[in-house]
């Protein structure tokens, strides 16, 4: 559900092409710059202008035709076509409003010097040690209860849990499920569990043999027991995902999915011309950024070996793997790799477009499977253009059914997100988008 934020209210024309927003009044950025209609226009000129277009910025560039200030705190946006999920896109982190003054000052270094309007403002960053945020004394919703937030990177799961138990940390995200029994016994700690929007999968390079053969891709789907992965590898703190996306997203289609059927997998491989299987390489991270990454890759390796497909696992740093996957088809080495999809717009259309449309082949976008189906593309366009919910969802579900049949990847599980915090901490916000927030209403007992 949408709640007013910097946009106090909004309305759309009957044809869905014009959106008008009334902004909160008397809001300032952390550097004192006024947040007003002119500031919104400035930010969207960045989003849809050449600065972003050169790097494949697609969320707004092809959709938003014009943004204009029609009053000091009134903004009108004109779209190239109706978009059923436009409010979701505006709630996406990509639409974050930054100070025009700060952008002019820092340019490309703005990410290292963020200036927003929120309840906490950037104070200090010591790489590898801490990020410090101070209370925004003039926050428009009222001065935050907390004076300061210190974010510390603690990569090791067990270390993070021990520091929480000893009182060195007040909040710990991404808690491993193995720690839940001991944490539940601790009267000073509360544990929050929530299904995430994260879908884990093995992505195939659909342009490379043998993954250019749909029968091969389908076979490798049937070869994997997702229920067993959810139960044993993730301790039951995950649910099998039948399709490409997490079920928490708006517009998600309840698909049939692939059952565990190794006999059928072998049959399909033989039909595809690989009766004795084949060899391939599976890339994975090893830092835990994909939950249970190495163990998950090894599990996939074992399942595929049972149907004759021998996989060599290659461990890579997350950034290095992404860089390799972002290369254009002619220089892209990927064959199969573990991937996670966190759809921060909370709906399906942006993910489906980015992952399934040919124009988003790397390096222009994140269709890293190099998957293309004109029927799917038309369904996505029709779905996003429909302002009526039932029609919109019907198109989206139809697209997801075809994608599932084409099997450009092996959907695996959606893990639950597990946070633990001191019982002294109140009103933290834990988002299924995998984010952790302290708001102006967050407070801590002394």
């Amino acid at each position: 559900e949408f709640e007013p934020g910097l946009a106090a209210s909004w309305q759309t024309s009957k044809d869905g092409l014009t959106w008008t927003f009334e902004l909160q009044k008397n809001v300032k950025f952390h550097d004192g710059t006024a947040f007003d209609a002119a500031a919104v226009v400035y930010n969207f000129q960045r989003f849809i202008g050449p600065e972003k277009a050169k790097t494949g910025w697609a969320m707004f560039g092809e959709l938003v035709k014009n943004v204009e200030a029609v009053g000091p705190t009134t903004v009108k946006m004109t779209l190239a076509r109706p978009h059923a999920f436009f409010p979701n896109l505006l709630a996406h982190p990509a639409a974050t409003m930054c100070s025009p003054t700060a952008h002019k000052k820092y340019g490309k270094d703005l990410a290292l010097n963020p200036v927003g309007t929120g309840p906490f403002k950037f104070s200090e960053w010591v790489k590898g040690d801490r990020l410090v945020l101070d209370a925004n004394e003039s926050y428009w919703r009222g001065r935050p209860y907390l004076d300061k937030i210190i974010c510390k990177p603690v990569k090791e799961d067990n270390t993070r849990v021990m520091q929480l138990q000893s009182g060195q940390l007040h909040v710990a995200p991404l808690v491993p499920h193995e720690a839940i029994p001991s944490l539940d016994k601790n009267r000073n700690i509360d544990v929050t569990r929530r299904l995430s929007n994260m879908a884990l999968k093995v992505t195939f390079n659909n342009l490379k043999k043998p993954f250019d053969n749909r029968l091969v891709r389908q076979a490798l789907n049937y070869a994997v027991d997702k229920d067993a992965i959810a139960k044993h590898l993730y301790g039951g703190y995950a649910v099998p995902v039948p399709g490409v996306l997490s079920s928490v997203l708006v517009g998600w289609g309840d698909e049939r999915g692939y059952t565990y059927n190794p006999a059928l997998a072998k049959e399909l491989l033989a039909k595809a011309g690989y009766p004795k299987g084949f060899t391939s390489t599976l890339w994975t991270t090893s830092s835990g950024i994909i939950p249970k990454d190495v163990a998950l890759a090894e599990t996939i390796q074992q399942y595929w070996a049972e149907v004759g497909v021998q996989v060599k696992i290659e461990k890579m740093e997350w950034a290095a793997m992404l860089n390799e996957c972002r290369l254009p088809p002619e220089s892209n080495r990927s064959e199969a790799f573990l991937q996670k999809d966190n759809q921060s717009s909370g709906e399906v259309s942006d993910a489906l477009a980015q992952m399934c449309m040919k124009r988003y082949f790397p390096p222009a976008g994140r269709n890293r499977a190099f998957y293309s189906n004109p029927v799917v593309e038309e369904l996505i366009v029709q779905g996003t253009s429909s302002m009526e919910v039932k029609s919109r969802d019907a198109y989206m579900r139809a697209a997801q059914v075809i994608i599932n049949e084409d099997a450009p990847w092996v959907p695996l599980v959606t893990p639950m997100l597990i946070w633990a915090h001191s019982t002294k901490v109140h009103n933290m916000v834990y988002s299924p988008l995998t984010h952790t927030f302290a708001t102006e209403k967050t407070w801590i007992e002394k």
Side-chain angles (χ1 to χ4, degrees):
E1 298 296 329
F2 295 103
E3 296 181 3
L6 291 176
S9 63
W10 53 93
Q11 59 184 5
T12 183
S13 59
K14 289 184 179 180
D15 61 8
L17 294 176
T18 302
W19 292 75
T20 304
F21 299 87
E22 290 295 333
L23 308 180
Q24 299 287 353
K25 295 178 173 60
N26 303 315
V27 177
K28 293 187 180 297
F29 289 98
H30 299 152
D31 61 0
T33 302
F35 170 77
D36 53 16
V40 174
V41 171
Y42 182 92
N43 275 276
F44 269 87
Q45 285 175 340
R46 292 177 54 229
F47 298 161
I48 66 179
E51 176 183 342
K52 292 296 185 183
K54 290 179 181 177
T55 58
W57 192 272
M59 182 173 288
F60 298 111
E62 297 176 348
L63 177 63
V64 179
K65 285 178 60 177
N66 187 49
V67 181
E68 59 182 313
V70 294
T73 56
T74 305
V75 176
K76 183 171 76 172
M77 298 187 185
T78 305
L79 307 186
R81 63 181 187 279
H83 197 294
F85 300 101
F86 188 54
N88 294 75
L89 302 187
L90 295 179
H92 190 283
T96 297
M97 294 289 103
C98 75
S99 164
T101 304
H103 179 251
K104 293 173 184 175
K105 178 179 179 180
Y106 296 112
K108 293 182 179 180
D109 290 331
L110 181 66
L112 303 178
N113 301 274
V115 181
T117 61
F120 298 94
K121 58 185 180 181
F122 174 73
S123 176
E124 179 188 27
W125 179 40
V126 180
K127 189 173 182 179
D129 182 68
R130 65 186 181 276
L131 172 71
V132 182
L133 307 173
D134 290 336
N136 177 6
E137 301 284 347
S138 57
Y139 183 53
W140 62 274
R141 278 176 166 154
R143 198 247 192 231
Y145 296 148
L146 295 177
D147 295 324
K148 188 184 298 290
I149 298 173
I150 302 172
C151 305
K152 296 186 70 67
V154 184
K155 294 183 179 180
E156 293 294 327
D157 290 341
N158 291 334
T159 303
R160 198 159 57 249
V161 171
M162 287 190 293
Q163 289 187 359
L164 177 70
Q165 291 174 319
S166 67
Q168 294 174 265
L169 300 175
H170 294 106
V171 178
L174 301 178
V175 172
H177 68 81
E178 293 89 347
I180 290 178
S182 64
L183 291 175
D184 279 341
K185 294 177 183 178
N186 191 324
R187 295 181 179 179
N188 298 317
I189 293 174
D190 282 336
V191 179
T192 299
R193 307 157 176 86
R194 185 163 297 162
L195 190 64
S196 73
N197 78 329
M198 182 192 302
L200 306 184
K201 64 184 182 182
V202 176
T203 296
F204 301 124
N205 185 332
N206 286 227
L207 297 181
K208 283 193 176 177
K209 290 185 178 299
F211 304 115
D212 61 343
N213 189 319
R214 186 170 77 161
L215 293 177
V216 169
R217 301 192 302 265
Q218 290 177 337
L220 295 182
N221 270 273
Y222 282 118
V224 177
D225 189 342
K226 302 174 189 177
D227 290 301
I229 289 174
K231 181 179 179 180
H232 300 296
L233 187 58
Y234 293 95
Y237 289 95
V239 296
V241 55
V244 58
L245 300 169
S246 167
S247 62
V248 305
L249 300 176
V250 175
W252 179 78
D254 189 7
E255 302 159 54
R256 173 178 56 85
Y258 288 83
T259 57
Y260 177 51
N261 193 334
L264 180 55
K266 291 179 181 179
E267 181 182 321
L268 290 173
L269 285 172
K271 189 175 181 180
Y274 300 94
K276 296 183 179 180
F278 56 88
T279 60
S280 185
T281 299
L282 174 65
W283 291 349
T284 179
T285 59
S286 57
S287 59
I289 196 165
I290 295 175
K292 306 286 185 182
D293 44 15
V294 175
L296 181 57
E298 291 173 345
T299 302
I300 298 299
Q301 181 186 48
Q302 293 169 9
Y303 279 128
W304 287 356
E306 291 174 4
V307 298
V309 176
Q310 305 302 318
V311 170
K312 175 186 175 183
I313 294 175
E314 185 176 338
K315 301 174 186 177
M316 306 175 72
E317 288 296 325
W318 176 247
M321 191 170 81
L322 284 183
N323 287 336
E324 288 281 355
C325 294
R326 287 169 177 159
L327 294 174
E330 60 272 12
S331 56
N332 197 300
R333 296 191 303 117
S334 67
E335 296 177 3
F337 55 93
L338 282 186
Q339 189 175 359
K340 64 171 184 172
D341 286 310
N342 300 84
Q343 188 50 30
S344 297
S345 66
E347 50 81 32
V348 301
S349 71
D350 180 56
L352 292 180
Q354 286 279 332
M355 293 188 291
C356 301
M357 287 188 164
K358 190 171 184 178
R359 69 173 178 266
Y360 297 134
F361 278 12
R366 55 188 178 97
N367 185 349
R368 296 166 192 149
F370 297 105
Y371 167 68
S372 177
N373 184 322
V375 176
V376 168
E377 294 203 17
E378 180 60 24
L379 287 169
I380 293 171
V381 170
Q382 292 294 332
T384 54
S385 299
S386 176
M387 301 302 289
E388 199 278 316
V389 173
K390 288 186 178 180
S391 174
R392 175 200 75 184
D393 289 350
Y395 280 116
M396 288 302 169
R397 187 181 187 281
Q400 291 170 73
V401 168
I402 295 174
I403 294 166
N404 203 37
E405 292 173 352
D406 286 343
W409 37 67
V410 179
L412 297 170
V413 298
T414 291
M416 294 192 73
L417 296 175
I418 304 168
W419 294 269
H421 63 262
S422 165
T423 54
K424 293 184 176 182
V425 176
H426 301 270
N427 297 340
M428 286 292 294
V429 176
Y430 303 120
S431 164
L433 305 184
T434 72
H435 300 153
T436 306
F437 294 102
T439 74
E440 74 281 3
K441 300 297 184 182
T442 304
W443 60 283
I444 185 169
E445 300 173 24
K446 294 185 177 179

